[in-house]
Each structure stands twice: as C-alpha cells, then as structure tokens.
C-alpha cells in the first residue's frame, strides 16, 4: 500500500499534535502513531507549563532560570524563542477553551517549582496537567482535517535520489507494511526513557525516532545529557510512576528510613536543589542499600492536591496514611536528540524533528522543570506554521540503497539492556562502566544494525535494534564528554570543564560511525 501526503507527522505527544494542527491550516497532514493519541509522555506529565505571566515576572527572568538550569550550555536563541513565546502560547490555549487551575478570585494560579525564581507554573487539575492539555488538543485535532493513523509503527525513513526525506515505511499491529510518501516528514516521537530500567516515561518512548533519523543520515547530538528525576515512586524494586517535584514544592522532604533529612547541608535549596544534585544524593543512599522516602506528612489534603500521585500510590500499594512515599531516581528527559535548527530542520533535507526527540539546544545540559510541554507548544507551532507555508515540492524517486550487512545477531531482550544502561550510563558514570557498555553494544554489530533492511523484520526485532543503536549513541557521547555538567555526571571527571567543553558538543553521524567501526574490523563486513 502506498499513500501520499503533503506533511507526515510521526508521534502522539504535545509537539506532534501542535505541529500537525498548525501545518493542517494549509496542507494535507497525516499523523501516524505506533500507539494511540492517549499514549505519550505529554499525557503522563504531572508538572505544569511555565510562562512569565505575573507582574513580578518577566521573560528575562524565565530566560535566566532556563540558562542556569541548563548549566549555560543552552543555545541562547532557542531559549529566547521559548520564553518570549510562552505567554502567547498560553493565551492561545486559553482562547481555544483550555482550563487551567485558578485562584478564588478567578486569576490564574501560578505555582512555584525548583530552580524557578518566580511563580510561573500553570497547572490543570493539580498534577493532571499533561492529561488535560492533551485531552484539549485531541478535541481540537478531532475537529481538524488531519488524518490520524493509530497503532502503526514508523520503522524506516525513505530517502530520495536527491538525499531528501520522502516519507516513511510503517508496520501495523498485524505485521503489514505500508509506504507513505510525503513532501515533508516530521519526527515527534519523544526521547528514549523506556530504555532505562527506572523511568517516568511511557513504555512507548523507546528512542525509535532517533534511531531512524540516525540511520537515515541525520546528525544526533548531546545524547549524554539525560535528566534523572529524583523522585520516582519505588516499590518492590520497580517504579510505579512519577512523584511530581511539586510535592517537594509544597513542603515534602526527602528522608532516610529513620526520618533523617538527606538534603540538609548538601545544597542551599535543600529538597528543591537542581534535579541532578537531588538525584545524585538519593542515588548515593540507594547505592549503600538505604531506602529513601518523601515525607509528605505536612501536606494537608494530599489526595485532593495530588490526585494523580495518590492514584499511582494506591496502584502500587503505598499507604498514604503513613505519610511517606518510597522513592528512587530514574530517567525522565533527554536533553539531546536529533540536531535541528530553531525551525526543526534536521541535517537531512525535508526531514524535521520537534519536541523531546529533537535537540534545539534549548535545554542545554539540564532542562528547567515545566519547560517541556512549553517546548512542544512553542516549537510545534513554529514548525507547523513553517510547513503550512512552504511551497509544494516534487517528491523525487526513491534512492536505491545497497543494504550492506552480514547477519543480524540475536539481540538482547529489553530488560537486559535497560539494566545495563541504568548501571553504566545512569546517574553516575565512569570511563570503565561506559567502555564496558560500549563493548557490549558493539558486539551486536552496530554497523549492521544501521544498515538493517526492515522488510520482513518484526516490530519487536526492529525495536530491539533501534534500542541498541540509541544505547550506543548514549554510551559513545557520555564517554567522549570528559567532564560533568547538568544531566551528565562522570565520577572520574566530577567538575565542569568550560575551557574544553562549554562550547563543544558531541555530534554523531552514521556515516562516520560506520566507517569508524568498519575500520576496527569488529566483524566480517560484507558489501551487498
Ligand atoms: C515534575 O512534576 O516533577 C516533572 C515536571 C517536569 O519535568 O517538567
């Protein structure tokens, strides 16, 4: 089956929906998701959406906080775009009927979160913001002319004779392959959280967009910068979802089993210190075999204030009456991704990326809380608007690619990989750990996986191959960056090294990688 569209958007989070809706003003858009519209990290988001709206606040303060959280590694132009367009993005949502939480006098309720210097976080139904924004956007999408295809996984980008992206191949739940040709293709598939054993992410967020783009020749950067959220609900050695930072914002404190506060003396901001500091502190206790809890006993009406967290606790069997929630840190957000400019253009012509899958540099080395739904809205609108107004283009013929690989090794099951990533490319990294991870991954013939022909493969096998590729990108990037900054902490290089690294990024391209690995003769390379 072959279908044609002017614009194809792959993904189902806030960035995907916003881009698709904006582009559909003037173009025929098909939105394809491997799951459903109600499955995404955006839908799960408990944090709110940041915008400088109060009289005491201003975009320059929002910019200052974003740069401070990003450890000055952010692209300033992207930050300015984000913070300057935030108030308009909120106004647009309000105009279209979105309901945010309000004070008794009817004014918008503005919350405070760690590393924000002013109250600027909007919520909807307390910690249900992601769900309610997404429901609102899904309602708007249903009224548009966009064709929505659910339960169909994008598995390979199609490249034309001129080197541009001309669409995507997909596989549906029954294993049937389809081909979509498009003038322009957008990846909005999210980050790669579910490649880690402990994560706040939806299980569908497995890095496949990054792997597809990388295989198609797009540059990928900053993959070492991963934000570990300090407080995932942790019961029976597994996570039961996120416990929002807003809980600490309301006064909860991190304590040991005996009730000793663990952030005392670690940072001036104590429990609201930057996420990487809090995550590393909890991790040091967990490593010593000690349990860490969030003491919530001081929060009145906890269930009413945090209905989503309360229901997650109930599902995991945590008794809220006891006044404490067991927590551990886990993968939350990828600051790196497919390298794009401010308009979402990747290094492959006619291929765009937006949201967490993309790296505009807006978050630098660490994202400021509640800037991610905002990123989806602001950059999604900008990209959608650009696509809506680009002239039509002739879709060139497909480039005949010589797939060159020997055999696809038996790939590990996801839990094995998740454990390795958590241990060797997690909250605290070392050269030895990263080298052992890289060697483990390279034994699966990365260069073969980059050339893997998806025809005839199952979604499970393709997902496993993509997971290995993305894990390798993380390991390689983390090994290369010999400093610690934001979400990347190396115990063998524990300080920031501005002279070497402030202006430098780890950028990887598949042609270089293939040549490098091929040169090492890790396996018998057979040209098809
Ligand atoms: C949280 O609620 O703690 C997460 C919010 C965010 O990551 O922006």
């Amino acid at each position: 089956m072959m279908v044609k569209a002017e614009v194809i958007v792959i993904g189902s989070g806030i960035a995907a929906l916003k881009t698709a809706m904006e582009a559909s003003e003037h173009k025929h858009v098909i939105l394809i998701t491997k799951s459903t519209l109600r499955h995404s990290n955006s839908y799960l988001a408990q944090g709110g959406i940041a915008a400088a709206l109060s009289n005491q606040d201003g975009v320059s303060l929002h910019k200052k906080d974003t740069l401070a959280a990003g450890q000055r590694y952010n692209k300033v132009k992207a930050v300015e775009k984000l913070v300057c367009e935030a108030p308009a993005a909120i106004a647009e949502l309000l105009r279209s009927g979105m309901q945010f939480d309000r004070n008794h006098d009817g004014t918008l309720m503005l919350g405070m979160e760690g590393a924000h210097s002013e109250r600027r976080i909007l919520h909807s139904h307390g910690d249900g913001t992601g769900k309610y924004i997404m429901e609102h956007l899904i309602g708007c999408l249903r009224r548009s002319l966009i064709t929505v295809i659910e339960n169909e996984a994008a598995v390979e980008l199609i490249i034309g004779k001129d080197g541009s992206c001309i669409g995507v191949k997909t596989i549906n739940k029954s294993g049937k392959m389809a081909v979509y040709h498009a003038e322009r293709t957008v990846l909005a598939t999210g980050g790669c959280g579910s490649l880690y054993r402990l994560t706040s992410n939806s299980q569908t967020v497995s890095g496949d967009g990054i792997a597809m783009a990388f295989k198609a020749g797009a540059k990928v950067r900053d993959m070492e910068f991963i934000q570990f959220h300090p407080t995932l609900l942790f019961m029976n050695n597994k996570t039961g979802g996120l416990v929002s930072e807003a809980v600490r914002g309301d006064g909860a404190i991190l304590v040991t089993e005996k009730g000793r506060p663990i952030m005392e003396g670690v940072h001036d901001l104590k429990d609201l210190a930057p996420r990487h500091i809090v995550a590393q502190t909890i991790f040091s206790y967990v490593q010593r075999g000690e349990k860490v809890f969030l003491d919530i006993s001081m929060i009145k009406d906890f269930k009413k204030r945090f209905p989503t967290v309360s229901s997650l606790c109930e599902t995991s069997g945590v008794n809220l009456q006891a006044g404490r929630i067991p927590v551990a840190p886990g993968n939350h957000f990828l600051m790196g991704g497919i390298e794009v400019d401010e308009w979402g253009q990747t290094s492959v012509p006619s291929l765009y990326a937006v949201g967490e899958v993309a790296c505009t540099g807006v978050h630098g080395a660490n994202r400021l809380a509640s800037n991610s739904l905002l990123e989806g809205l602001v950059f999604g609108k900008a990209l959608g608007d650009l696509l809506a107004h680009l002239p039509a283009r002739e879709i060139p013929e497909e480039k005949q690619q010589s797939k060159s690989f020997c055999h696809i090794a038996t790939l590990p099951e996801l839990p094995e990989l998740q454990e390795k990533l958590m241990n060797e490319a997690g909250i605290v990294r070392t050269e030895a750990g990263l080298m052992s991870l890289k060697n483990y991954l390279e034994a699966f013939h990365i260069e073969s996986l980059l050339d893997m022909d998806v025809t005839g493969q199952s979604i499970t096998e393709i997902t496993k191959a993509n997971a290995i590729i993305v894990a390798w990108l993380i390991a390689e990037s983390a090994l290369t960056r010999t400093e610690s900054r934001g979400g990347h902490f190396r115990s063998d290089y524990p300080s920031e090294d501005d002279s070497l690294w402030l202006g430098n990024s780890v950028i990887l391209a598949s042609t270089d990688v293939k040549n490098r690995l091929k040169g090492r003769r890790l396996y018998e390379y057979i040209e098809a």
Side-chain angles (χ1 to χ4, degrees):
M1 184 185 79
M2 211 273 278
V3 182
K4 268 193 181 168
E6 287 174 295
V7 175
I8 284 180
V9 178
I10 304 162
S12 56
I14 192 165
L17 268 52
K18 190 69 192 162
T19 306
M21 282 190 299
E22 229 27 67
S24 73
E25 293 286 320
H26 295 288
K27 301 280 181 188
H28 171 228
V29 179
I30 299 181
L31 182 137
I32 304 172
T33 168
K34 68 176 175 183
S35 55
T36 68
L37 289 180
R38 289 184 171 80
H39 256 101
S40 62
N41 276 355
S42 306
Y43 204 90
L44 293 179
Q46 292 177 15
I49 179 159
L53 296 174
S54 77
N55 293 337
Q56 300 82 275
D57 204 359
V59 291
S60 56
L61 274 181
H62 190 181
K63 172 179 163 185
K64 190 164 153 256
D65 293 344
T66 302
L67 292 174
Q71 310 295 126
R72 301 163 292 127
Y73 180 69
N74 321 53
K75 281 218 173 133
V76 175
K77 261 173 84 179
V79 175
E80 283 167 351
K81 178 167 178 152
L82 182 83
V83 301
C84 292
E85 290 175 24
I90 300 298
E92 194 178 330
L93 274 179
L94 289 168
R95 267 198 312 276
S96 61
M98 174 70 202
Q99 303 286 329
F100 285 108
D101 297 343
R102 289 183 181 268
N103 298 309
H104 291 306
D105 63 2
T107 53
L108 286 169
M109 195 184 271
L110 296 174
M112 185 73 167
E113 264 174 18
H116 286 271
S117 55
E118 284 296 336
R119 300 188 79 84
R120 64 168 75 100
I121 321 296
L122 290 153
H123 287 99
S124 183
H125 296 75
D127 57 4
T129 312
K131 173 177 166 183
Y132 286 93
I133 290 193
M134 289 306 289
E135 284 297 344
H136 174 75
L137 293 179
I138 291 167
C140 300
L141 189 88
R142 294 286 187 214
R143 293 190 288 278
S144 73
L145 294 173
I146 298 165
T147 308
V148 176
I149 298 173
E150 295 178 304
N151 298 309
E152 205 166 303
V155 289
E156 188 175 278
L157 295 167
I158 310 168
I159 300 300
K161 276 190 167 155
D162 63 353
S164 69
C165 181
I166 59 167
V168 66
K169 291 181 188 167
T170 64
I171 299 182
N172 69 13
K173 283 224 156 141
S174 348
K176 205 162 151 246
M177 185 171 264
V179 174
Y180 294 84
H181 278 173
E183 292 175 23
R184 273 121 200 154
T185 304
V186 179
L187 290 166
T189 48
C192 60
S194 76
L195 299 186
Y196 280 71
R197 183 170 67 79
L198 296 180
T199 181
S200 61
N201 285 199
S202 159
Q203 280 312 305
T204 53
V205 181
S206 54
D208 37 9
I210 296 169
M212 274 193 292
F214 189 66
K215 284 164 71 179
K219 289 181 183 163
V220 167
R221 62 174 274 188
D222 290 345
M223 290 295 288
E224 66 276 32
F225 290 118
I226 290 175
Q227 183 174 86
F228 292 88
H229 196 289
T231 56
L232 304 190
L233 173 55
F234 188 63
M235 270 294 269
N236 304 325
N237 214 25
K238 58 181 200 307
T239 172
L242 184 74
V243 182
S244 174
E245 187 161 310
V247 175
R248 277 172 286 136
D250 265 21
I253 52 169
L254 289 155
V255 296
T256 62
E257 191 146 30
K258 290 193 174 135
R260 191 173 66 77
I262 68 164
M263 290 308 295
E264 286 291 342
V266 175
H267 194 279
D268 289 349
L269 293 170
K270 296 185 185 166
D271 297 85
L272 288 175
R275 281 189 185 164
H276 59 288
I277 310 261
V278 185
Q280 283 160 23
T281 308
I282 301 177
F283 183 70
S284 67
Y285 282 79
V286 175
Q287 284 291 85
R288 294 199 296 267
E290 284 198 55
K291 291 187 178 142
V292 175
F293 297 84
L294 252 184
D295 178 353
I296 55 162
S297 55
M298 69 298 285
I299 302 179
K300 288 204 185 77
D301 296 328
F302 187 88
K303 278 192 178 172
K304 207 166 146 212
R305 174 79 184 87
F306 298 105
T308 309
V309 174
S310 301
S311 115
L312 291 174
C313 285
E314 215 165 280
T315 311
S316 288
V318 174
N319 174 17
L320 286 175
Q321 300 306 322
R324 58 188 209 173
I325 304 173
V327 291
N331 183 315
H332 185 53
F333 190 86
L334 175 67
M335 275 71 73
I338 305 164
E339 187 178 48
V340 294
D341 66 13
E342 269 172 75
W343 305 98
Q345 174 67 64
T346 71
S347 53
V348 173
S350 300
L351 176 65
Y352 300 82
V354 66
E356 193 178 345
V357 74
C359 181
T360 54
V362 72
H363 304 301
N366 214 352
R367 178 180 58 85
L368 181 68
S370 291
N371 266 354
S372 54
L373 290 173
L374 179 63
E375 176 190 16
L377 281 183
V378 168
F379 289 89
K381 182 181 167 71
L383 171 57
D385 192 45
L386 172 84
L387 296 172
H389 294 98
L390 280 177
R393 80 165 185 131
E394 193 80 21
I395 300 177
E397 263 179 59
E398 183 176 347
K399 180 172 161 190
Q400 291 313 311
Q401 313 246 37
S402 61
K403 300 280 173 193
S404 43
F405 61 94
C406 45
H407 70 286
I408 300 299
T410 308
L411 300 176
E413 296 301 324
L414 205 51
E416 181 179 315
L417 187 68
Q418 288 168 328
E419 189 66 35
K420 295 252 183 225
L421 273 168
M422 198 74 218
N423 293 340
E424 314 298 2
I427 297 152
V428 177
R429 301 157 176 187
T430 61
E431 179 175 340
L434 291 165
M435 268 316 289
S436 99
L437 174 63
K438 214 162 90 84
N439 289 337
Y440 162 83
L441 295 166
E442 286 177 4
F444 298 108
H445 303 172
I446 304 291
E447 54 296 45
S448 300
L449 300 180
L450 291 174
D451 277 345
M452 179 172 138
D453 188 351
V454 292
T455 317
Q457 300 282 352
S458 69
I459 294 187
T460 312
E461 281 309 293
I462 297 168
T463 304
K464 282 191 207 168
N466 286 341
I468 297 278
I469 292 168
V470 175
W472 186 87
L473 290 169
I474 296 169
E476 174 74 6
S477 309
L479 197 56
T480 309
R481 184 171 281 273
T482 49
E483 67 156 358
S484 291
R485 188 181 296 274
H488 171 62
F489 182 74
R490 291 268 307 251
S491 59
D492 45 357
Y493 294 94
S495 315
E496 286 183 0
D497 184 348
D498 280 0
S499 61
L500 203 60
W501 284 111
L502 185 59
N504 271 322
S505 308
V506 184
I507 301 176
L508 297 166
S510 58
T511 36
D512 304 343
V513 169
K514 276 190 239 174
N515 289 337
R516 245 193 305 152
L517 293 177
K518 189 174 161 188
R520 277 187 223 164
R521 293 215 143 271
L522 281 165
Y523 73 113
E524 207 35 57
Y525 197 86
I526 303 169
E527 296 289 338

